[in-house]
Amino acid sequence: MNHDAIVLGAGIVGIATGIHLLRRGRTVLLVDKSEPGRETSFGNAGIIQREGVRPHPFPRDLHTLIQVGLHLSTAARYEPLALPRLAPPLLRYWWESSPDHYRKVVQNYAPLIGRSIITHDDLIKASGPEAEALISRYGWHLAFRTPEKLEHEIAKAKGDHDQFGIGFEVLDWPALKAVEPALLGGLAGAIHWTDPWTVRDPGALVTQYFRLFEKLGGQFLRGAASGLTPDGQGWSVSVDGQSHAARQAVIALGPWAPDVLEPLGYRLPLFVKRGYHMHYHKAEAAALNHLLLDPEVGYAMAPMERGIRITTGAEFAERDAAPTPIQLGKAEDAARQLFPLGERVDPEPWKGARPCTPDMMPIISKAPRHDGLFVGIGHAHHGFTLGPATGELLAQAMTGEATAIDIKPFRMERFMGG
């Protein structure tokens, strides 16, 4: 064996898994066709969502379904040509979003989200001052245009505070305006989630984690991996024609995981929610101090190193289909009602694909039919939040330790009749 473990995928999940294995004395080869952290880990809104105990359910109210069905929604849209393949997992997604099922999902999901700040804090401290400089511990604003929606969400926030200890405060319009003087109006107020952290350059933070991985002795190989196969007492994979072997292997390839899993006999009901972002100059001397999410329209607006980043909601489409950044244009128009955005910074919108499962929970698991094979995928909107926690749990499972939380709810078998 050349290594103790080969980790396929150098996003935040793969890097964190490598770090936690190296800390346990294992040798690790990290493989990716791209530079570390340049895919889905790079393009998100930059929130470590400690408050995110409720993953995004499939909408079940008629108004929202009509809005999405007629392509009137900014928060979600679909590509009609993709529906035949997407229909089976989306139907199960709808089923799992029923009140009884969803209640169980939240109960299982909350302990995992509870590890988010703890495990990020660990890696930030280990990575040093350059990582620390990227972090804000203020939280973020969930802002509402109508008092009725704000009151509805306040009631839900109180429930999450009572059940899960999630911290928040309510800001009416004058209080929100005092924190964000450049806002133009049109808002009733906001919930200020106080527990989450935000990051002014998510890709840069993942780069800092990758440097920690290298500092601990991890090896990175850039190239296209293929042919992951059991090999005697371990696993072998070909990277640009050269074979590499290890006792254990980890698939942390996000939306590209099926390309490796399906040849091994694992056909999972995975799908993607694509998303886009664009950076904008600030108009005149306007400043956005903290991330603001506009849920009644369906986008986030965040201060980043390159400017104000707008990130879109969910686009249900094939992973590799051509970009259709229609939602971004709608989000930009809505954001300009609230904040004086300047011109676009980027020549083209960035596009990424969030890897999703029908029950809204990731797969953090040993592969049931193969020894030494582990999988960490399917984090949907919370990949950046949960990458370090997933890496910790996978490394613990791979080395025979007791895991920090029970990972049975995240086992792969739940999609295989097990």
Side-chain angles (χ1 to χ4, degrees):
M1 297 292 102
N2 303 115
H3 306 276
D4 291 319
I6 292 174
V7 179
L8 301 183
I12 193 168
V13 173
I15 292 170
T17 303
I19 289 171
H20 282 284
L21 287 171
L22 290 164
R23 286 174 165 179
R24 288 160 173 78
R26 303 297 174 90
T27 59
V28 180
L29 177 67
L30 182 66
V31 180
D32 202 301
K33 69 183 187 305
S34 303
E35 287 296 322
R38 296 293 99 182
E39 295 291 349
T40 314
S41 302
F42 173 83
N44 54 79
I47 316 175
I48 303 171
Q49 283 195 260
R50 173 63 186 90
E51 91 298 338
V53 293
R54 299 182 184 277
H56 293 269
F58 196 97
R60 298 178 72 84
D61 63 286
L62 184 59
H63 173 75
T64 300
L65 291 173
I66 291 173
Q67 290 283 307
V68 175
L70 297 177
H71 288 299
L72 301 175
S73 171
T74 302
R77 72 178 302 274
Y78 65 93
E79 280 297 310
L81 293 178
L83 286 182
R85 195 194 71 79
L86 293 177
L90 290 184
L91 181 61
R92 183 163 177 178
Y93 182 17
W94 176 83
W95 176 257
E96 296 285 0
S97 298
S98 68
D100 287 343
H101 287 98
Y102 186 67
R103 193 176 301 113
K104 295 176 183 177
V105 167
V106 172
Q107 290 172 352
N108 289 326
Y109 199 72
L112 180 60
I113 283 287
R115 297 296 300 171
S116 60
I117 294 292
I118 296 168
T119 51
H120 268 282
D121 187 49
D122 168 34
L123 297 190
I124 290 165
K125 288 176 178 175
S127 298
E130 291 187 21
E132 179 65 39
L134 297 168
I135 308 301
S136 167
R137 291 171 172 78
Y138 172 86
W140 60 279
H141 297 137
L142 182 65
F144 291 90
R145 295 167 177 252
T146 58
E148 296 79 12
K149 290 284 189 180
L150 176 60
E151 290 301 320
H152 178 72
E153 290 299 319
I154 290 171
K156 289 172 59 177
K158 288 178 178 177
D160 288 345
H161 171 77
D162 294 343
Q163 186 174 359
F164 304 112
I166 305 300
F168 75 98
E169 61 179 348
V170 178
L171 304 179
D172 60 14
W173 168 244
L176 180 59
K177 179 73 171 175
V179 178
E180 297 286 3
L183 290 178
L184 300 174
L187 292 171
I191 294 172
H192 170 202
W193 294 114
T194 57
D195 290 346
W197 297 354
T198 56
V199 183
R200 61 185 177 88
D201 189 336
L205 184 64
V206 179
T207 295
Q208 292 301 317
Y209 291 169
F210 174 68
R211 289 175 180 169
L212 173 62
F213 168 82
E214 290 190 309
K215 181 179 177 181
L216 293 172
Q219 297 181 22
F220 173 65
L221 179 61
R222 182 172 180 180
S226 62
L228 181 68
T229 55
D231 181 11
Q233 298 301 308
W235 290 84
S236 66
V237 66
S238 176
V239 183
D240 293 337
Q242 185 174 359
S243 181
H244 300 268
R247 290 192 301 110
Q248 295 176 311
V250 180
I251 298 174
L253 288 165
W256 295 276
D259 298 349
V260 177
L261 285 168
E262 290 184 4
L264 294 170
Y266 298 103
R267 296 189 64 86
L268 303 172
L270 302 173
F271 61 98
V272 300
K273 294 180 185 178
R274 302 202 311 181
Y276 300 83
H277 84 220
M278 173 59 68
H279 294 99
Y280 299 82
H281 294 292
K282 295 174 290 187
E284 302 171 353
L288 183 68
N289 297 316
H290 306 289
L291 184 145
L292 183 146
L293 195 150
D294 184 357
E296 290 176 85
V297 176
Y299 68 93
M301 181 166 51
M304 293 280 178
E305 286 287 278
R306 286 181 55 80
I308 304 298
R309 177 182 290 186
I310 289 180
T311 61
T312 65
E315 180 187 52
F316 295 91
E318 295 286 0
R319 181 191 68 191
D320 300 324
T324 54
I326 297 168
Q327 290 163 290
L328 181 63
K330 294 180 178 180
E332 179 181 323
D333 291 342
R336 291 188 185 280
Q337 299 171 12
L338 304 181
F339 183 84
L341 289 174
E343 297 300 314
R344 291 185 172 191
V345 174
D346 307 318
E348 297 291 338
W350 178 89
K351 174 180 69 70
R354 308 176 184 99
C356 303
T357 66
D359 66 1
M360 296 154 278
M361 298 196 301
I363 296 169
I364 306 171
S365 175
K366 178 188 175 298
R369 294 196 293 264
H370 292 86
D371 290 334
L373 180 63
F374 293 80
V375 181
I377 59 172
H379 295 79
H381 295 262
H382 287 156
F384 184 71
T385 292
L386 294 175
T390 299
E392 173 193 56
L393 294 167
L394 282 173
Q396 289 169 339
M398 293 170 70
T399 56
E401 294 180 31
T403 52
I405 64 168
D406 183 10
I407 62 173
K408 289 188 183 70
F410 312 112
R411 68 195 188 281
M412 188 188 294
E413 288 92 328
R414 71 189 194 270
F415 298 121
M416 302 170 59

